[in-house]
Amino acid sequence: MAHGQIEYYEDVELGHEIGPLEEDISDESVVDFCEVTGATMPNRFTDAEIAQRVRLSGPIVPGIMSMAIMARLLTDWSPKGVLKHFDVVFRQPVPHTSVSISALVTDKREESGEYLVECDVYLSNEESGRMIGGRAIISLPSRG
Amino acid sequence: MVLELDYDRSLLGKDHRAGPIEVTKELIQDFCKAIGETNPIYTDEEEARKAGYPTVIAPPTLCTIFLRRVIIPDIRLNFGKARFHAGQVVEPIAPIMAGDSLMASSYLKEVYPKTGRSGTMVFIVWATTFTNQRGETVAEVQESYAARE
């Protein structure tokens, strides 16, 4: 396993910190993402003028793109784990900028034969603080 | 004072469908590239097979890019002008794999007011179920939109 990754449920402790994953979300990466989704462009995610028309200070990152990058932190951390649940609250729009994604293990339990780890996940940066907060549940293999 | 919400209640629970939606290896690769995902089970057939899958699988939130394939109607809510995407829940149930053909089914789950420090907002929640070509549910998604006064 690569540094910082975990393989088994037994290796995870409460309070374990995951990340941070530092990500530079550029104009180009948002355009690439919008192309994959088939979204009509330009739109509020790619164009400053359109964004301002809907009272945003500039183009923002699509919520589903932020969520996908946040999920990446978890899949990077536990390549053999399976994400079972992921909910997020978009607290404020995320501009095209550098962000930091981190998570904290808040619970672990055996439930219906599955070994589950629960964590709080955040996307933030120094300027805006926590822009997205979420909660994830991951099923991990057990050493039995 | 109790807020009397007016919206098209006939939409509650009513299905809106889209599909089939083809999940290709190329689409999975492009999605991974756009979000910087490098785990080879999403892009390399051999690595996916080593991990026990018949082919490459999709990252857990890929299905969210298909949500807008479902044309959802205006609920004609009589509250607020500004709307924004307030939250989202994704529950992957079974792996979505390259070669899958998905159907999406969305319905209006609930509409409710919530009052906080910044005033009252009304939340509109749409729920979507994705099923594959074998009729298996592969993911459940909920999207919340907030209307502000």
Side-chain angles (χ1 to χ4, degrees):
Chain A
M1 302 297 284
H3 179 71
Q5 291 182 327
I6 56 100
E7 194 165 359
Y8 292 105
Y9 174 80
E10 289 77 9
D11 301 332
V12 182
E13 290 178 7
L14 287 185
H16 182 103
E17 287 178 20
I18 306 167
L21 167 67
E22 307 290 348
E23 189 76 11
D24 180 25
I25 305 179
S26 64
D27 295 344
E28 292 73 25
S29 59
V30 173
V31 168
D32 287 348
F33 186 85
C34 287
E35 276 173 2
V36 176
T37 66
T40 306
M41 286 189 279
N43 55 37
R44 67 186 184 283
F45 305 120
T46 62
D47 186 273
E49 207 179 302
I50 295 173
Q52 278 154 13
R53 263 187 249 151
V54 290
R55 295 194 286 179
L56 293 165
S57 56
I60 61 170
V61 181
I64 57 172
M65 180 178 181
S66 297
M67 195 178 191
I69 296 171
M70 291 171 81
R72 207 184 98 207
L73 169 77
L74 306 169
T75 52
D76 283 354
W77 174 64
S78 60
K80 292 188 177 175
V82 175
L83 187 65
K84 307 289 285 186
H85 173 102
F86 189 23
D87 64 75
V88 296
V89 174
F90 301 112
R91 296 175 174 181
Q92 53 179 297
V94 178
H96 300 184
T97 184
S98 295
V99 297
S100 177
I101 299 153
S102 57
L104 182 76
V105 174
T106 56
D107 190 26
K108 58 181 287 191
R109 58 185 180 272
E110 193 187 337
E111 199 175 279
S112 309
E114 284 197 290
Y115 294 87
L116 304 177
V117 168
E118 190 167 324
C119 40
D120 289 341
V121 192
Y122 297 100
L123 180 146
S124 60
N125 70 9
E126 275 192 25
E127 199 182 340
S128 304
R130 288 176 174 175
M131 293 175 274
I132 305 176
R135 185 178 63 103
I137 300 173
I138 305 159
S139 172
L140 290 172
S142 166
R143 288 200 175 88
Chain B
M1 193 179 84
V2 178
L3 180 64
E4 280 297 324
L5 287 179
D6 186 20
Y7 63 96
D8 184 353
R9 288 170 196 269
S10 74
L11 292 172
L12 284 166
K14 186 178 171 188
D15 257 350
H16 303 272
R17 292 171 184 249
I21 301 161
E22 308 301 334
V23 181
T24 63
K25 250 184 258 179
E26 294 71 28
L27 177 77
I28 295 174
Q29 274 176 1
D30 289 346
F31 181 81
C32 288
K33 197 173 159 212
I35 62 163
E37 175 63 72
T38 56
N39 187 328
I41 62 168
Y42 305 128
T43 53
D44 185 317
E45 291 237 12
E46 205 176 310
E47 290 297 323
R49 277 196 285 270
K50 271 191 222 165
Y53 301 106
T55 183
V56 292
I57 63 168
T61 71
L62 179 128
C63 61
T64 62
I65 71 171
F66 303 135
L67 288 166
R68 288 292 69 81
R69 302 278 183 104
V70 184
I71 309 295
I72 52 173
D74 181 359
I75 72 163
R76 302 202 301 270
L77 176 67
N78 69 332
F79 181 89
K81 285 177 187 159
R83 300 247 173 124
F84 61 95
H85 195 182
Q88 190 143 300
V89 182
V90 177
E91 291 196 333
I93 313 278
I96 294 174
M97 288 180 268
D100 276 356
S101 180
L102 305 180
M103 295 298 291
S105 173
S106 303
Y107 69 94
L108 179 63
K109 188 178 180 194
E110 57 182 334
V111 179
Y112 63 93
K114 197 172 176 181
T115 301
R117 275 177 298 181
S118 59
T120 299
M121 292 198 283
V122 173
F123 289 85
I124 304 156
V125 183
W126 287 90
T128 301
T129 300
F130 289 96
T131 51
N132 66 16
Q133 63 278 14
R134 291 179 293 281
E136 299 159 344
T137 299
V138 290
E140 305 269 11
V141 179
Q142 277 188 37
E143 303 165 87
S144 299
Y145 293 91
R148 201 163 25 204
E149 277 175 304

